[in-house]
Amino acid sequence: MTSRALRQSAFQMHCFISKTVARQRLHCDQHVRLTHQQLKTSSRVPPMQQQPTPHKQPNKKCPPDEGGAKQTSLQVTVVSRYMDYVNSYIKILDRKFPAAMHVYRIFMVGTKDLLRDIKEYFRILTNVTWEGNGVLRQLSRKELELYQSMPKDMKKILPFLILSALPFANYVMFPVAYKYPRHILCKHFWTLQQRVEFTMLQHRKKLLNQRAVFRSLQLQLDSEAVRKDRQLYRMWSHSIACLGSGQHPRPEVVVRCLPLFRGDPYHLDYLTPSHVNSLLKLHGMHSMWRRRRRLADHAYLIHEIDVAIVREGGVETMSQDEMRWACFLRGLNPVNMRDEDLRFWLSQWVKISTQIDDTSLSLLLHCPVLLAYNKPSNWTLFH
């Protein structure tokens, strides 16, 4: 459906709803007014039949006002019938304007989810601001994932919200956003199919930088800092050879190479600018300001999420959808992979991540290459 047809459909639905609500409101007002008049007429006693008012007995209670109870009951009945009438018109709108109602539901549900997540994010942000990063160790895995993803979602949806608030701009912005949801909206307004499709496109864009990161690792293989420890050099050269031959090094071997990422040559402070740019693009980050600091923060958050996974029972307690989104975040395409394979790969990642500290966060940034560079599910995106 084109944006012009969608705008016409939305405008027709708007006019239809306005006329219907106005007509029904007028009908309800007349009905309530007529009923009130009937109640007053029935409750009024003719003057000839009025009896003298007896003196009130001090020990007897006055009977309740039955007229007020009837009036309240009548109002509740009228409101309930009115709501039933409106709900029945929703079904009529579904039949007459299915595309417009589909868009309406997407935006309604997405707005509720977005507001809920924004509220939760600012609650976490307030605690982190006042109490420091130590609060992150007390958060659950879902809270940490929300804290990691919400800033990007809010930056993406903010221009749309600002422009939609302008007078009459919503008639243009909503059809445009419906036609280009990947560029204008965040994941709260995507369908399940769109989430998978758009995440795959973003993941493919990230994987284009894997080879550049691998080449940067190779360039430092024969550096003096690596060759001074023969055993460490032997293990690291074996790991690089595994990647070059279509395999992956074992997590135990990668953990033994941790000293290389605590200083020269693979610590964040020792990486070349081109190496840093490749890492930023590999993790879906821009390469403008505070590059090394943002990489360190990103690695620290992923590390805390991995620790939370272990704290909450391990990878075995995660659902299929949770494992898939976790693999996307860590550089693996989970589409068409079995749950057992996903669980095994995530357990290998967590095994490495739990051995990392603040001085070796650079290793975690290179794990998408060390553990997923030759995965068939990633290569299928290019071949």
Side-chain angles (χ1 to χ4, degrees), residues 38-168:
Q38 292 176 355
L39 284 174
K40 291 180 180 179
T41 304
S42 61
S43 61
R44 188 181 299 119
V45 181
M48 298 299 297
Q49 299 179 1
Q50 287 184 353
Q51 301 294 332
T53 304
H55 294 287
K56 294 183 179 179
Q57 299 295 332
N59 296 331
K60 293 184 179 180
K61 295 183 179 180
C62 296
D65 187 7
E66 297 181 358
K70 290 182 179 180
Q71 182 177 357
T72 303
S73 176
L74 178 64
Q75 291 176 352
V76 172
T77 303
V78 171
V79 172
S80 63
R81 289 184 179 179
Y82 176 72
M83 294 304 298
D84 293 339
Y85 185 80
V86 172
N87 291 331
S88 65
Y89 259 88
I90 294 179
K91 299 179 181 179
I92 298 175
L93 293 174
D94 283 333
R95 292 196 302 267
K96 290 191 174 183
F97 311 100
M101 289 299 294
H102 177 67
V103 176
Y104 169 77
R105 286 195 174 92
I106 289 177
F107 279 98
M108 284 296 296
V109 175
T111 302
K112 291 180 181 179
D113 294 342
L114 179 64
L115 292 177
R116 182 196 62 216
D117 289 347
I118 288 177
K119 182 180 179 181
E120 182 69 12
Y121 169 75
F122 278 106
R123 182 189 67 81
I124 299 173
L125 182 63
T126 302
N127 294 335
V128 173
T129 303
W130 286 100
E131 302 181 22
N133 289 334
V135 180
L136 297 178
R137 297 183 178 89
Q138 304 173 6
L139 300 178
S140 64
R141 174 181 55 83
K142 292 184 178 180
E143 290 175 332
L144 288 169
E145 290 175 347
L146 178 69
Y147 182 70
Q148 187 269 336
S149 62
M150 274 307 296
K152 190 173 183 179
D153 290 338
M154 289 190 296
K155 290 177 183 177
K156 191 172 185 180
I157 197 64
L158 184 61
F160 170 76
L161 296 178
I162 294 176
L163 294 176
S164 299
L166 299 177
F168 305 104

Side-chain angles (χ1 to χ4, degrees), residues 6-32:
L6 188 59
R7 286 197 301 269
Q8 291 178 354
S9 178
F11 180 74
Q12 292 175 0
M13 185 182 70
H14 176 72
C15 296
F16 183 75
I17 293 175
S18 301
K19 293 180 181 179
T20 303
V21 172
R23 185 167 57 252
Q24 184 62 15
R25 185 178 298 171
L26 178 62
H27 175 73
C28 289
D29 292 342
Q30 292 176 354
H31 183 68
V32 172

Side-chain angles (χ1 to χ4, degrees), residues 19 32 45 69 82 98 116 147 181-182 191 195 220 225 234 242-243 245 267 274 279 298 305 312 341 368:
K19 293 180 181 179
V32 172
V45 181
Y82 176 72
R116 182 196 62 216
Y147 182 70
R182 184 168 71 94
T191 62
R195 289 191 180 190
Q220 299 294 332
R234 191 182 305 112
C242 285
L243 293 174
S245 61
H267 189 273
S274 60
L279 279 176
H298 179 71
I305 294 174
E312 295 176 3
D341 297 335

